[in-house]
Amino acid sequence: MLHLAVLGLLADADRHGYELRKQLIELFGARRAMSFGSLYPALARLEQAGLVKAVTASVARPAPAPVPSSGSLAGELAALRARRTAAKATAGERSSRGGRERKVYGITDAGRARLVALLDEPAGDDRTFGVQVAFCRHLEPDRRVVLFERRRAELTERLAERARADHARGSRLDHYRRALRDHDTRALTNDLHWLDELLELERATIPQEDTP
Amino acid sequence: MLHLAVLGLLADADRHGYELRKQLIELFGARRAMSFGSLYPALARLEQAGLVKAVTASVARPAPAPVPSSGSLAGELAALRARRTAAKATAGERSSRGGRERKVYGITDAGRARLVALLDEPAGDDRTFGVQVAFCRHLEPDRRVVLFERRRAELTERLAERARADHARGSRLDHYRRALRDHDTRALTNDLHWLDELLELERATIPQEDTP
DNA sequence: GTCATCATGTAAGCCGTTACATGATTGC
DNA sequence: GCAATCATGTAACGGCTTACATGATGAC
């Protein structure tokens, strides 16, 4: 899910980790946005896999003047500070604000391919489907229809399962469980209607290959 | 979440692990029901903590005739088999069907206390709130109101957050993201209405301490 | 005789979280 | 000079899943 979200966002524009998370919050809300603790390692893994590449690395050229190690801890730290300040001074495209050097990532061709593959894959998770919808413009129109219809089938199946269970049980549920169940069913039905709307619009815009 | 669900179900009646999971599926649906891989260890932990106790253990009395170990693997296995068959033959309350001996658990007083504590705790997770509602009849009426109102505040906050984000962004979202956002907002609003209904009913049945 | 269902458990692993370590810059 | 925000990372841990091991019983 994280990979999907990161690749999806980077498909729009190059970004650094911190920025990525802010976007995640804006798009999915604070509680669904992954924490830095998983975001940064994920970026590193994606980079290693060649799906993403650092565009503006804090390159820190071979160390301007290597600063012979004095052996003292304070000296080492001072050297590090100096190196960083230097890097900042020379980094042309940096905006004036911000603390540490950013590491800006961009998506690669392999990354784009991966993104499409992840969008095309069955969701598994409810939240994953939401992310897929958020980025589904990167999908071919016909694959988008498949995505929506797969989801539709899944929700229909859940409703059927629910109906079966309701039938089996003689509706011996207390007030709260009944309220919960009814509400869930309504939510499921709303989801289904929403999908139908999406599908209708999708089919209206792509009347593909119907002239024999 | 698992602890809450298990304690909630055992508060209704004594059950064994396998049965517990079937109930979980019926109540929350197959995809939200925890797997055996987490259910059995959870039961063991709850038992150790004294929140649950084995009611019908496969007691396997000190081994009817200890069967002096022959040293051969086949012999050991045969002995085990015999012991099990014996246990089955003597277990009075077992229903005729089923394979292995069941381990039926019941909730203890400490377990009931824990259940109420877990119901009273802030949800954290959306799914946890659902489980809390399913078992909230074990809560005192006034605490139930607190549970619902806390949730109400949480959802209201999410809607506000969303409105803020919508305002900040000049609504530059593609079709799919806008559809997703609108649908989420509608779902949130429906949840809020549902909670209001629950709260209204709750207050109607308990007009507590209003005569000064 | 073999398949589905009942029944209990263990082990490995995934995916995420919180908490910590580190530090620059801006605004009050 | 202090807090907030920007910025990147690591380490420990949690909770759940899958896959595996084991086996009885009934139905077909």
Side-chain angles (χ1 to χ4, degrees), chain A:
Chain A
M1 229 207 76
L2 227 192
H3 283 13
L4 175 57
V6 168
L7 291 173
L9 285 174
L10 291 182
D12 286 344
D14 293 352
R15 299 181 202 283
H16 58 272
Y18 194 87
E19 210 181 344
L20 235 25
R21 192 170 118 106
K22 284 204 304 184
Q23 296 276 314
L24 245 29
I25 289 176
E26 201 187 296
L27 200 47
F28 303 114
R31 77 180 311 100
R32 275 185 250 182
M34 287 78 187
S35 66
F36 291 123
S38 41
L39 186 55
Y40 286 118
L43 278 168
R45 280 197 304 278
L46 286 170
E47 191 180 14
Q48 267 213 307
L51 306 176
V52 148
K53 65 172 188 293
V55 166
T56 302
S58 58
V59 198
R61 279 81 44 73
V67 188
S69 182
S70 65
S72 85
L73 221 171
E76 298 282 26
L77 286 174
L80 188 65
R81 249 192 304 277
R83 211 154 37 231
R84 284 196 168 150
T85 310
K88 168 205 144 198
T90 40
E93 62 283 66
R94 280 196 70 200
S95 69
S96 61
R97 358 179 93 263
R100 262 218 253 189
E101 299 94 275
R102 303 162 171 174
K103 217 164 139 184
V104 178
Y105 293 96
I107 195 167
T108 64
D109 287 346
R112 278 216 152 73
R114 193 67 219 279
L115 170 60
V116 172
L118 287 173
L119 287 169
D120 208 13
E121 219 158 66
D125 193 355
D126 277 14
R127 309 167 71 181
T128 301
F129 177 72
V131 182
Q132 286 179 323
V133 172
F135 299 113
C136 73
R137 71 184 175 85
H138 297 288
L139 224 40
E140 295 295 323
D142 56 322
R143 294 273 83 200
R144 206 145 51 207
V145 170
V146 169
L147 173 67
F148 296 157
E149 280 195 328
R150 187 166 44 216
R151 176 70 174 180
R152 203 189 180 286
E154 159 77 21
L155 294 186
T156 305
E157 167 59 25
R158 280 194 219 175
L159 269 174
E161 205 177 275
R162 197 165 274 256
R164 252 176 281 141
D166 282 351
H167 182 72
R169 176 179 1 83
S171 76
R172 49 184 183 291
L173 290 176
D174 67 52
H175 168 61
Y176 303 104
R177 291 190 198 176
R178 183 191 304 279
L180 187 65
R181 175 151 287 258
D182 287 352
H183 178 244
D184 275 12
T185 303
R186 229 174 306 140
L188 227 40
T189 311
N190 288 339
D191 281 11
L192 226 42
H193 288 339
W194 178 67
L195 277 173
D196 284 339
E197 275 173 40
L198 278 181
L199 277 164
E200 205 185 331
L201 269 169
E202 204 64 42
R203 290 196 175 106
T205 38
I206 315 114
Q208 43 154 28
E209 55 185 338
D210 56 348
T211 44

